[in-house]
Amino acid sequence: MRYRPVILMAVLTLLLSACSSSASEPAEINLNEDSCTACNMGIADLESAAQLILKSGEPVLFDDIGCMTQYLQTEKPEYEAAFVHDYLSREWILFDAAAFIQHSDIDSPMSYGIAAFESMKKAEEYRKTHGGTVYSKDELLEADMKSFKGDGKNHSH
């Protein structure tokens, strides 16, 4: 009987971790099968991909950080987590904690030219060498995405 509280705590911990872990992980993206929610283009480049995990647990996939940003601006979905790839490590990082650079020399599928970095320090270091404009997540969400677009690529196909 004296182990009962320990066993109950262990069971409770397992149940809570099972409930929360799936939504805080990025969903798997099937290249050349999954499509961008915003522009309907097939996702062919994982390094440029971005995604939201909605409160319902449903993933919403994008081929470009700019597509996800524009979707967040217009649709204002409630999400559990949002992920982008770090421009340097190519690993998934949290959109909400990332810093961003927009520059016409940054190649992205829909030509928004946005790259994500795991910290403002890394973004500033990149900017010093390569140029561009640094944005926090909040500043990016306030930016005019249409002004970022490169030559002639848009969401109407």
Side-chain angles (χ1 to χ4, degrees), residues 65-66 87-88 98-108 112-117 119-137 139-140 148:
I65 294 170
Y87 193 70
L88 302 173
F100 303 88
I101 288 185
Q102 193 284 326
H103 193 283
S104 59
D105 289 348
I106 295 172
D107 190 34
S108 68
Y112 285 102
I114 301 170
F117 295 84
S119 69
M120 191 59 78
K121 181 180 180 218
K122 296 234 173 152
E124 288 289 353
E125 288 170 2
Y126 182 91
R127 186 196 56 75
K128 284 179 189 169
T129 306
H130 302 282
T133 304
V134 176
Y135 293 87
S136 68
K137 178 206 75 161
E139 290 167 335
L140 188 66
F148 289 2

Side-chain angles (χ1 to χ4, degrees), residues 5-23:
V6 173
I7 292 170
L8 285 173
M9 274 306 260
V11 169
L12 185 60
T13 301
L14 282 172
L15 287 172
L16 287 174
S17 66
C19 290
S20 63
S21 64
S22 64

Side-chain angles (χ1 to χ4, degrees), residues 27-31 43-51 85 90 92:
E28 184 176 340
I29 294 177
N30 298 305
L31 294 180
I43 300 174
D45 177 11
L46 196 57
E47 283 81 23
S48 297
Q51 62 178 282
H85 280 97
R90 305 294 192 217
W92 285 114

Side-chain angles (χ1 to χ4, degrees), residues 65-101:
I65 294 170
C67 288
M68 183 173 82
T69 303
Q70 191 166 35
Y71 182 85
L72 286 167
Q73 289 173 338
T74 58
E75 303 300 318
K76 302 189 184 335
E78 288 192 26
Y79 61 90
E80 177 87 19
F83 298 96
V84 291
H85 280 97
D86 179 81
Y87 193 70
L88 302 173
S89 73
R90 305 294 192 217
E91 297 293 321
W92 285 114
I93 59 173
L94 289 170
F95 172 76
D96 291 342
F100 303 88
I101 288 185

